[in-house]
Amino acid sequence: MDLFRRSWRDWLGDAGLTAAAAALGVLLLSGTKEDPPPDVAIVVPRDLAIGSVSLLFLLLFRRRHPVAVAVTMMFAQWTATSALGAAAIAVYSLAMLRSWRAVLPIAGANMALIVTLFWITSTWHQFRQGTVVFVLMYAVLITAGMLVRSRRQLIASMDARARAAETEQRLRVEEARLLERERIAREMHDVLAHRISLLAVHAGALEFRPDAPADQREAAGIIRQSAYEAMEDLREVIGVLRDDAPGGDPERPQPTLADVSALVAESRRAGGEITLEENVPDPGRVPARVGRHAYRIVQEGLTNARKHAPGTQVTVTLDAGADLDIEIVNRLPPGPPAAPLPGAGAGLVGLAERVGLLGGTLEHGRTGDGRFRLRARLPLGTAHAGETGGEGEVHGSELL
């Protein structure tokens, strides 16, 4: 039954409140027995029996039906003094679980009944003393219940906001990842469009060469037609991304590793203090698509330094050994860490997509000497093999 499906914390709290109600009821019954009202006979066994039933009712139903429990206890206290404690805790539970619109009428009616009970059964001294005690007790219980309710609502609101913020951040990261994949797909389209068009031109020249054998001209015609169809298919698929890309020029030239120096010079003209250290003895060994991704990594690193640490010295290092190592290091600004900008981290998510596409590694974070370092390692061996084997064939399935 749902009635008994509570956590051990809930059962512990319910048991504690029931014990407090029992102690208060026994205390009131003991005081009434020592100084009984005139013309009122107190039958202790019957009183305790009614009080016990009230406590059981309070323990089982105060969470699910606080209004019904409070109203029932309000009338039960007329028949047994020991039920006064259960009635008081029922009002506290009502203030803790329901709004003030439900609490105030029931609490007011309860106090009216208690005052009437004291008026009928007690002397003037007992009436005045009992009224003051119960008014103060109920005021404290109702205030405490409302404070507990407000605190629970505040905690629930903070939890909901935290979950909403986590969901928003997760969606932002997913959106950044998808946007970066679309950007990579568009760049691949530009590169493949150029190469396939060259293939079609050379195949066409071979097809219409008069001194070429007939079988070679026929094969060249098939290659030219296939290249044309592949170009059309590629444009049809990537055209969807083109339509959504703001200001995207078709077949725009793509940057290479040699363009990094121009990128650094442009950032210097914008006021940045940037040092470029290149150790690339054989630039021709770096495949074009690796250079393209390296350019984007440096571009994003400079952008992050300009946004989060403006005016600091930035060092860009390119080292081509067995792999191409890229490192962008900048000093962190003095003072406490600034609040993250909206969308912070999306660019790093995009870089992770690019580096993962090439099978490389990406590291970023604060260093122990007060700097921020972005480091990427792009393998050259596998990338060069993929370049010679056909970029579209190797990586087209991953992006499209």
Side-chain angles (χ1 to χ4, degrees), residues 297-368:
I297 293 172
V298 174
Q299 185 181 46
E300 181 63 29
L302 294 178
T303 301
N304 286 340
R306 185 166 56 251
K307 287 169 54 179
H308 301 286
T312 60
Q313 176 71 33
V314 182
T315 302
V316 179
T317 305
L318 301 177
D319 188 2
D323 301 322
L324 177 60
D325 291 326
I326 307 167
E327 187 176 74
I328 301 98
V329 181
N330 63 270
R331 281 282 177 186
L332 293 173
L341 297 177
L348 296 177
V349 173
L351 294 187
E353 289 293 317
R354 290 181 176 273
V355 173
L357 179 66
L358 297 175
T361 58
L362 179 70
E363 301 174 1
H364 56 83
R366 298 171 179 265
T367 61

Side-chain angles (χ1 to χ4, degrees), residues 55-67:
L55 293 175
L56 181 62
F57 191 74
L58 177 70
L59 175 64
L60 296 180
F61 298 105
R62 78 170 192 91
R63 288 183 179 273
R64 293 178 58 85
H65 308 288
V67 176

